[in-house]
Amino acid sequence: MPATDSTLADFIQALPKTETHLHVEGALPYGLLTAWRPEQFPADPPFRRRSYRYATFPEFEHILLDAALPWFTSAERYYEATKVMFAGHLAQNVRYVETSFHLPVSKFIGVPGREIIAAIRAAVPAGLEVRIFAGMLRSDLAGDLRPVIDDLANWEGLAGVDLHGFEVMPTEPGTAEVWSRLRTAGKILKCHAGEFDGPHRVREAIEVLGVTRIQHGVRAIEDPAVVRLAVERGVTFDVCPISNMGLQVVPSMADHPLRRLMQAGVRCTVSTDDPLCFGNTLTEEYATLAAELSFTRAELAQVARNGWEVADVPADLRWTMLGEIGRLAAANLVVPA
């Protein structure tokens, strides 16, 4: 019989978890909107239900923007939203978060990006490590945001950058040069790839942009050579299973390639992506892996371990968290009857 010290829910809660793929605007706590404008934002809209499937990425983007843009009008609103968001992380025993704010929003609302970063940092509670990224569309490098992007290397408190948005957009020429300069400045480089476009975009992100953090990356499974490339280069895929299902990147959770990627040697983390639109939590992500992909406690522990292996934290904190995960996993091993 199993030798366990806890129920599965207790085990998931006890794991010191990381959230490494999270968009600030897409993580706006929906309860804030309902309390603010209940007539516009009812408590249980269909798009937040687990059964909902977005027909297209533009539909998803439209719903996200219609909900987020009315709220995010000032640095103070970023503070209010992230304070609630981070409290939710602590309640789930999430101890490290990487989150990105959408750089074009700062221009749209007339609030400098540095002020948004300061507001988010001010909302971080004790017991939680947070790293802030600037997210942008591939096309932004060719627009009037370019001077701001060129200055990101000088921004204190900015951990890194991320190319996101509708993946089928071409990557602007010159992006690799900009990403190289940011890497030299010590910024962490991320890129959304292998979500709505094929494995060739994962290859582009790795070989052309030089990133080692792919957001999603799941469609790399369609090309074994790209999977091998990711393993050889030590690339991490920050995967969001419930998002992948809601956006129909995979037809069902049973078809999700997370286990196959991990078995092939790709380091994969698990995050929520845009919980404003999916109504998901990180705890639910872990529970879903167990319920629908039959992830064992050892596999769930490995997912948690992967997040700490790539976390931008001091070595002593990393080893403390890995040790905690190891002890929990050892106490929950399944042994012969």
Side-chain angles (χ1 to χ4, degrees):
M1 61 180 293
T4 61
D5 291 341
S6 63
T7 66
L8 178 62
D10 290 338
F11 177 73
I12 292 172
Q13 175 66 21
L15 284 171
K17 294 173 288 295
T18 67
E19 172 107 74
T20 53
H21 182 164
L22 183 69
H23 302 275
V24 167
E25 294 84 5
L28 170 63
Y30 190 79
L32 289 177
L33 291 176
T34 301
W36 178 48
R37 293 181 180 175
E39 70 289 346
Q40 184 177 353
F41 302 106
D44 183 29
F47 68 85
R48 283 173 52 84
R49 298 171 189 167
R50 190 56 58 242
S51 60
Y52 192 82
R53 298 294 179 268
Y54 290 92
T56 63
F57 184 85
E59 181 211 357
F60 160 78
E61 192 172 46
H62 177 73
I63 288 176
L64 189 157
L65 294 177
D66 278 357
L69 288 183
W71 177 271
F72 288 106
T73 57
S74 66
E76 290 75 17
R77 282 290 181 83
Y78 274 90
Y79 171 81
E80 292 176 44
T82 53
K83 184 176 181 179
V84 175
M85 182 177 83
F86 293 148
H89 282 114
L90 282 184
Q92 298 173 78
N93 200 25
V94 177
R95 304 193 202 176
Y96 175 83
V97 173
E98 292 177 0
T99 188
S100 65
F101 71 96
H102 191 45
L103 192 61
V105 171
S106 66
K107 180 178 184 298
F108 176 74
I109 65 176
V111 178
R114 285 183 170 93
E115 292 185 18
I116 292 175
I117 292 172
I120 296 171
R121 286 173 63 86
V124 177
L128 185 66
E129 293 283 337
V130 174
R131 303 294 179 264
I132 303 169
F133 290 68
M136 66 202 77
L137 305 176
R138 284 173 167 81
S139 58
D140 286 334
L141 281 96
D144 55 8
L145 271 176
R146 181 59 183 267
V148 176
I149 294 171
D150 284 339
D151 189 45
L152 292 177
N154 303 312
W155 286 22
E156 292 185 11
L158 183 71
V161 293
D162 177 25
L163 281 183
H164 61 208
F166 199 22
E167 188 187 345
V168 296
M169 296 173 63
T171 302
E172 285 293 326
T175 302
E177 179 185 352
V178 174
W179 251 227
S180 178
R181 283 193 276 108
L182 288 166
R183 183 191 305 106
T184 300
K187 305 303 182 185
I188 300 167
L189 308 181
K190 294 186 176 185
C191 181
H192 281 56
E195 182 188 19
F196 288 99
D197 211 343
H200 65 285
R201 299 309 291 272
V202 176
R203 180 180 292 278
E204 174 196 50
I206 297 171
E207 293 187 335
V208 178
L209 301 184
V211 307
T212 56
R213 298 289 297 281
I214 300 291
Q215 307 299 275
H216 297 296
V218 294
R219 289 191 59 187
I221 200 68
E222 298 168 16
D223 187 342
V226 174
V227 173
R228 288 194 298 272
L229 174 67
V231 174
E232 292 166 1
R233 299 286 182 91
V235 174
T236 297
F237 289 1
D238 294 314
V239 182
C240 304
I242 290 175
S243 165
N244 294 157
M245 188 169 62
L247 287 167
Q248 302 192 72
V249 175
V250 295
S252 70
M253 193 59 70
D255 296 298
H256 201 285
L258 178 60
R259 174 181 277 118
R260 285 178 286 157
L261 287 166
M262 291 176 64
Q263 288 176 338
V266 179
R267 181 191 290 117
C268 295
T269 69
V270 167
S271 296
T272 58
D273 198 7
D274 294 285
L276 169 63
C277 293
F278 302 114
N280 53 337
T281 65
L282 193 61
T283 297
E284 184 187 2
E285 297 281 350
Y286 275 72
T288 298
L289 295 181
E292 300 190 39
L293 283 174
S294 300
F295 265 49
T296 65
R297 297 186 188 202
E299 288 175 310
L300 295 176
Q302 186 59 54
V303 169
R305 189 177 292 114
N306 289 345
W308 286 107
E309 287 178 353
V310 298
D312 180 28
V313 295
D316 59 344
L317 177 58
R318 186 190 327 281
W319 289 115
T320 296
M321 294 299 100
L322 292 175
E324 189 171 332
I325 294 167
R327 287 189 293 274
L328 283 166
N332 284 271
L333 286 175
V334 174
V335 299

